[in-house]
Amino acid sequence: MTGRVTNKLKLTLFAVLVSLLAPGVISCRKDPERLRPRLVVVLVIDQFRFDFLEKFNSSFGPDGFRRLIDHGAFFANANYNYVPTYTAPGHAAIFTGSAPAYNGIVGNSWYDRESGQEKVMVSDDRASLVTSYGIESSTRTTKPASPRSLIGTTIGDQMRLSNGFRSKVVAMSIKDRAAVLPGGKDANGAYFFDASSGSFVSSDYYFKELPRWVDKFNSQLGPDRFFGKSWDRALGPESYATTQAVTTVVGGSPLGRHLPYKIDGGASSPGEDFYKAFLYTPFASEYLADFARAAIDGESLGADEYPDLLAISFSTPDLVGHAYGPDSEEVQDTYIRLDAVIADFLSYVDQKVGLSHTVIAMTGDHGVSPVPQLMSLNKFDAQTIDPEKCKEAVNSALSVRFGPGKWVLDIVNEQVYLDRNLMNQYKADPAEAERITGDALLGVPGIARCFTRTQIINGQMSDGPIARRVANGFNPQRSGDVWLITRPFTFLSEGGAATTHGSPYDYDTHVPVIFFGAGIRHGRFYSDCSPTDIAPSLAALLHVEPPPNVVGRVLSECILPEN
């Protein structure tokens, strides 16, 4: 008996010694609770250029971005593999693991030949808004939306399909497209902000009335507590020494031109003007994070053995970036304050679910171009192009060759849509019309290259990353006839904004990809990857089938082995 006890003690001591000398052996041991999380949180930051993490790093605290980077898997060479790099395609790519060529989300909008007009990608005439006041056909600022235009499924859909729809999927954002596309076809709810009422709304695509927890949240009138508040720099002036101000009138911002800003929208009390101004401030991100916490509680996310998905897209950085540019102190301060919001949210998730039972993925839906005006002042070749000049050049060239008419129906997503009725009338060969269109566009200063529908469909594209990104962004049913590529730091002007995005260049395609939490190996990785890799990687972690039209890969280098 004594001998058996002694042997058992020896084995116990040996196991302790192994754990002290080789902790990696223990960390790789199969642990289902750790490796198969109860909650998946996908954080998308709208207009999240990769270098922001490097530029603003010294201004971040230890528990937000740094926590995810220092203790997670940080992919430093992630690029979108398609154009146009816009919000709707970005969110679709992240959650489907595919590209516009396959998921059909070719832009925030597209020219619909059947109706003869430009249509917003997620707008849905068959749907109605679901608000805390009942069902509404629309409001002054918000139209009904749904994911019906999305082809295929998302990672959230696959999670629900894997277990008889026991997993819950909740998506939210200020923007409708940044909520309904991440939610996929079968979300339990997708919520977006209505500036008419200052509250979160949804669509009757999902349900006929808002859940009680949403009504309760809306009744608290969260944005109103920020009325009259001042947005000033979070840190001292020395922290913003490398910023550059746009010297002309800022386009699209209701706040003004220089910090600090009083947040009232020029109104004497909270209302639509205030709510629109509020969205351009970092406090809108606070408000969205409050709503995310309410969702965790209201839907009991992460509370059982069936993993749930919470998708949160922070839209304010994009609004601020368009208005003030990526080198502005407004953008830097927005990210400094967002860092604190993320830190608080991570602490809440840890308290309610446990970060050891959670996996977090973070990325951006696109980057952003430097402000052309500032680039020009510093002797770089940069400009904006009036789209009307492109239309005039094409109309003139095609009229000379085939006959007079308004040949260009529209230019959307840097794609020219030609009038096919005119082609039939003049018996114009489509391939020749496309070629002449491309030649005419190349005569417009600032246009670098053109690709035609015929080239793309017939696989006659030249090699190289730009051509591949164009091919991945082309959907035969929704894309145009000729795709124009501007020179770097050049874009078609839109609404007087200081800058924009959408190009195939790295400043628009290069974004961070970060994984953190259950089953994730810490490290900094430089392998080629893309945000389209997020969905298949989550599918691997969760042991579910990935979305059917996935083009991304599993980022196996950051996934801990299970045995």
Side-chain angles (χ1 to χ4, degrees):
M1 183 73 175
T2 303
R4 286 199 297 271
V5 172
T6 302
N7 289 338
K8 186 175 182 180
L9 179 61
K10 287 179 179 178
L11 289 171
T12 302
L13 291 172
F14 178 74
V16 171
L17 182 61
V18 168
S19 68
L20 291 173
L21 294 177
V25 174
I26 302 300
S27 68
C28 293
R29 184 177 295 168
K30 188 171 183 179
D31 183 350
E33 274 199 305
R34 178 174 62 84
L35 291 172
R36 298 188 70 178
R38 295 203 305 259
L39 178 63
V40 176
V41 178
V42 181
L43 301 174
V44 183
I45 301 175
D46 204 330
Q47 201 177 118
F48 191 17
R49 207 170 70 187
F50 175 82
D51 65 329
F52 289 172
L53 288 179
E54 308 288 1
K55 288 172 60 177
F56 307 149
N57 181 64
S58 62
S59 300
F60 294 148
D63 298 322
F65 290 119
R66 283 186 184 175
R67 183 179 194 176
L68 297 176
I69 293 171
D70 294 344
H71 302 284
F74 181 35
F75 288 86
N77 192 26
N79 281 272
Y80 278 100
N81 56 2
Y82 64 82
V83 284
T85 38
Y86 290 145
T87 297
H91 284 79
I94 293 163
F95 290 86
T96 65
S98 67
Y102 310 104
N103 62 44
I105 308 302
V106 298
N108 293 335
S109 60
W110 89 104
Y111 184 81
D112 179 32
R113 291 185 180 276
E114 185 175 336
S115 64
Q117 60 184 358
E118 184 175 342
K119 298 183 76 171
V120 175
M121 185 58 68
V122 298
S123 288
D124 189 348
D125 295 336
R126 292 180 286 172
S128 295
L129 291 175
V130 180
T131 75
S132 288
Y133 313 103
I135 293 181
E136 303 181 24
S137 58
S138 67
T139 71
R140 285 172 296 188
T141 59
T142 307
K143 306 301 179 186
S146 84
R148 286 191 173 101
S149 59
L150 179 68
I151 300 171
T153 62
T154 62
I155 180 60
D157 292 329
Q158 296 300 127
M159 290 169 62
R160 285 176 56 73
L161 286 167
S162 73
N163 53 34
F165 304 96
R166 289 171 174 83
S167 288
K168 291 183 177 179
V169 174
V170 178
M172 60 185 62
S173 179
I174 297 301
K175 297 179 179 179
D176 55 2
R177 56 186 174 270
V180 299
L181 294 172
K185 294 297 183 67
D186 193 47
N188 298 85
Y191 305 96
F192 39 97
F193 187 74
D194 172 41
S196 295
S197 61
S199 63
F200 282 100
V201 300
S202 190
S203 165
D204 66 354
Y205 174 91
Y206 306 101
F207 36 57
K208 297 301 181 183
E209 59 182 23
L210 293 177
R212 290 182 180 179
W213 68 266
V214 179
D215 281 334
K216 180 180 178 181
F217 185 87
N218 283 337
S219 70
Q220 297 167 350
L221 293 177
D224 291 13
R225 71 182 187 270
F226 297 100
F227 182 80
K229 187 171 182 176
S230 177
W231 172 21
D232 203 350
R233 301 163 188 84
L235 303 176
E238 67 281 355
S239 298
Y240 305 85
T242 60
T243 60
Q244 290 182 293
V246 181
T247 57
T248 58
V249 176
V250 174
S253 171
L255 299 176
R257 292 179 58 185
H258 302 290
L259 286 166
Y261 302 113
K262 184 179 180 182
I263 310 167
D264 57 16
S268 58
S269 61
E272 186 171 353
D273 289 340
F274 160 66
Y275 297 134
K276 289 180 178 178
F278 167 71
L279 298 180
Y280 282 77
T281 75
F283 308 120
S285 295
E286 287 185 33
Y287 176 62
L288 182 63
D290 288 342
F291 190 57
R293 283 187 279 268
I296 291 174
D297 292 343
E299 298 286 353
S300 299
L301 299 180
D304 59 29
E305 68 271 28
Y306 302 106
D308 301 319
L309 172 66
L310 176 61
I312 310 168
S313 180
F314 293 98
S315 302
T316 292
D318 184 68
L319 300 177
V320 176
H322 278 292
Y324 299 98
D327 299 303
S328 66
E329 59 184 5
E330 285 85 356
V331 163
Q332 181 174 347
D333 198 72
T334 295
Y335 274 89
I336 291 170
R337 292 177 181 273
L338 180 58
D339 177 62
V341 169
I342 290 171
D344 289 344
F345 179 72
L346 292 177
S347 296
Y348 189 81
V349 171
D350 197 20
Q351 171 194 340
K352 299 296 291 189
V353 182
L355 289 177
S356 61
H357 299 297
T358 304
V359 64
I360 293 171
M362 173 184 280
T363 191
D365 57 347
H366 53 71
V368 63
S369 170
V371 177
Q373 180 197 55
L374 294 178
M375 296 294 286
S376 296
L377 290 174
N378 288 288
K379 301 181 180 179
F380 291 94
D381 183 15
Q383 62 177 308
T384 59
I385 303 171
D386 183 355
E388 293 303 316
K389 293 186 181 300
C390 297
K391 294 178 182 179
E392 291 168 6
V394 174
N395 283 330
S396 176
L398 292 178
S399 293
V400 168
R401 172 63 183 87
F402 298 112
K406 185 180 177 181
W407 286 86
V408 178
L409 295 173
D410 206 346
I411 299 179
V412 185
N413 304 322
E414 286 71 58
Q415 297 161 51
V416 178
Y417 290 76
L418 297 175
D419 189 331
R420 293 175 182 172
N421 289 328
L422 274 179
M423 288 188 194
N424 292 333
Q425 178 183 333
Y426 290 111
K427 296 180 172 54
D429 175 53
E432 184 183 5
E434 293 163 10
R435 180 184 57 76
I436 292 172
T437 296
D439 290 343
L441 290 169
L442 290 174
V444 177
I447 304 297
R449 300 179 69 179
C450 291
F451 298 91
T452 70
R453 168 178 285 267
T454 299
Q455 278 181 295
I456 300 169
I457 289 178
N458 292 340
Q460 298 169 334
M461 303 286 284
S462 58
D463 194 21
I466 290 179
R468 287 194 295 271
R469 287 168 180 170
V470 168
N472 283 333
F474 181 85
N475 180 276
Q477 287 73 41
R478 296 177 180 174
S479 295
D481 297 298
V482 178
W483 201 315
L484 65 89
I485 303 295
T486 61
R487 293 179 180 177
F489 314 121
T490 297
F491 51 81
L492 302 187
S493 58
E494 49 177 59
T499 190
T500 192
H501 46 83
S503 81
Y505 300 116
D506 278 12
Y507 53 72
D508 281 342
T509 65
H510 190 195
V511 296
V513 167
I514 302 171
F515 283 89
F516 171 92
I520 299 300
R521 185 196 306 278
H522 159 66
R524 189 177 178 111
F525 302 92
Y526 295 94
S527 50
D528 287 341
C529 66
S530 167
T532 56
D533 301 332
I534 291 175
S537 298
L538 290 175
L541 279 167
L542 297 167
H543 298 185
V544 303
E545 191 70 15
N549 52 10
V550 67
V551 299
R553 68 179 179 90
V554 175
L555 297 174
S556 56
E557 56 265 49
C558 80
I559 299 177
L560 288 170
E562 296 188 45
N563 48 48

